[in-house]
Amino acid sequence: MPSSAESPNASDTENVNKSRVFDIAPDFIGSYVQSRPAAGPNPFGNNLPTRPVPKKSDAIINSTESKLSPLGNSELALADKYSSPDVYIDGEKDTCWHPFTDNLEWKPMRFETRTGTFVLVLRILEDTWLGKHRHRGSVSAVTLKGQWNYKEYDWVAKPGDYVVENPGTIHTLHMTKGTKVVFTISGSLEFFHDDGTLKNTMDIFSYAHLYYEHCKKQRLKPNDGLWY
């Protein structure tokens, strides 16, 4: 397993020359929006829909395929009354990509305040090393496209691979051009300077703030239906 001073593919010098290296600045959250270009034509229109969520039982009542028994229907009615509703998010119409760095974009899919869990899709426009960071909650990831890895580990995730990162984990993320990954993140992330001192801490509200500021800048109505 490579040490923290080694690259999994080539020398550090070669990687730095070929990649964009990113560290989150302390004032990143407040300043990145102002540095973006003025809003232009938007493929999503002026609004992102907030779709009303039907009751679970409504989906069964309107289905010709369901074979639920009377007991099943009764249990479903109880779930309607006491559980959280099922949610469907259209990845093209209900949310949008927006910048996180010059060559990294992300799309929010869920903000859940009871556990501090949020789900996002991350995609990379150029080969990139991200700054060293530590997780204070658990993280899971499913690779949709491309390859990604951590400087400190010996594996490389490819499409279809699944990764779990536990609280206390600290590592340096590398993603190749065109990579797309779905991350489910709980708790906060701490980003560090090269000397190990803390640079910034981000959690569900930090990422939500970026999304809402982006929508404001682009004259989009944020989709409050992402909170559930």
Side-chain angles (χ1 to χ4, degrees):
M1 184 176 297
S3 70
S4 60
E6 297 173 338
S7 165
N9 298 313
S11 70
D12 283 347
T13 301
E14 291 173 342
N15 279 317
V16 170
N17 288 337
K18 295 178 181 179
S19 308
R20 298 291 299 276
V21 179
F22 164 60
D23 286 318
I24 295 181
D27 59 349
F28 176 72
I29 295 177
S31 65
Y32 97 104
V33 174
Q34 287 75 16
S35 67
R36 303 300 301 175
N42 194 299
F44 301 98
N46 293 325
N47 293 283
L48 295 175
T50 299
R51 181 181 292 105
V53 180
K55 293 182 178 180
K56 298 178 178 67
S57 56
D58 288 344
I60 298 301
I61 291 172
N62 296 327
S63 172
T64 59
E65 302 294 329
S66 175
K67 304 297 182 182
L68 282 185
S69 66
L71 174 61
N73 282 317
S74 177
E75 291 175 341
L76 198 60
L78 195 69
D80 270 336
K81 183 175 182 180
Y82 292 108
S83 75
S84 298
D86 293 345
V87 176
Y88 167 74
I89 300 297
D90 188 313
E92 295 181 355
K93 298 179 180 179
D94 295 338
T95 184
C96 62
W97 294 103
H98 68 86
F100 190 50
T101 70
D102 289 339
N103 58 340
L104 185 155
E105 296 178 334
W106 71 284
K107 177 193 293 186
M109 305 299 288
R110 179 186 186 188
F111 299 120
E112 200 273 282
T113 58
R114 285 167 291 188
T115 62
T117 298
F118 53 105
V119 180
L120 57 87
V121 187
L122 199 65
R123 71 179 179 186
I124 299 297
L125 306 180
E126 298 292 340
D127 194 84
T128 302
W129 284 97
L130 279 77
K132 181 169 58 179
H133 63 278
R134 174 167 57 202
H135 297 283
R136 289 303 188 183
S138 61
V139 176
S140 63
V142 177
T143 309
L144 303 179
K145 183 181 178 181
Q147 294 185 337
W148 62 282
N149 60 279
Y150 290 108
K151 190 173 185 179
E152 294 77 14
Y153 309 148
D154 61 355
W155 52 261
V156 177
K158 59 188 184 301
D161 287 357
Y162 177 69
V163 175
V164 175
E165 305 169 17
N166 292 308
T169 302
I170 184 166
H171 43 216
T172 311
L173 177 63
H174 171 252
M175 305 182 81
T176 61
K177 181 178 179 179
T179 294
K180 188 183 295 184
V181 184
V182 178
F183 286 98
T184 300
I185 303 169
S186 296
S188 62
L189 288 82
E190 299 171 340
F191 295 89
F192 294 91
H193 295 282
D194 289 341
D195 63 3
T197 57
L198 181 65
K199 174 177 287 189
N200 194 20
T201 301
M202 298 183 71
D203 62 9
I204 178 175
F205 295 104
S206 307
Y207 285 91
H209 182 265
L210 295 180
Y211 166 67
Y212 277 81
E213 287 297 302
H214 170 76
C215 289
K216 180 180 178 181
K217 183 73 172 181
Q218 298 297 323
R219 298 187 293 274
L220 285 168
K221 178 183 177 182
N223 184 2
D224 291 336
L226 298 177
W227 297 91
Y228 59 94

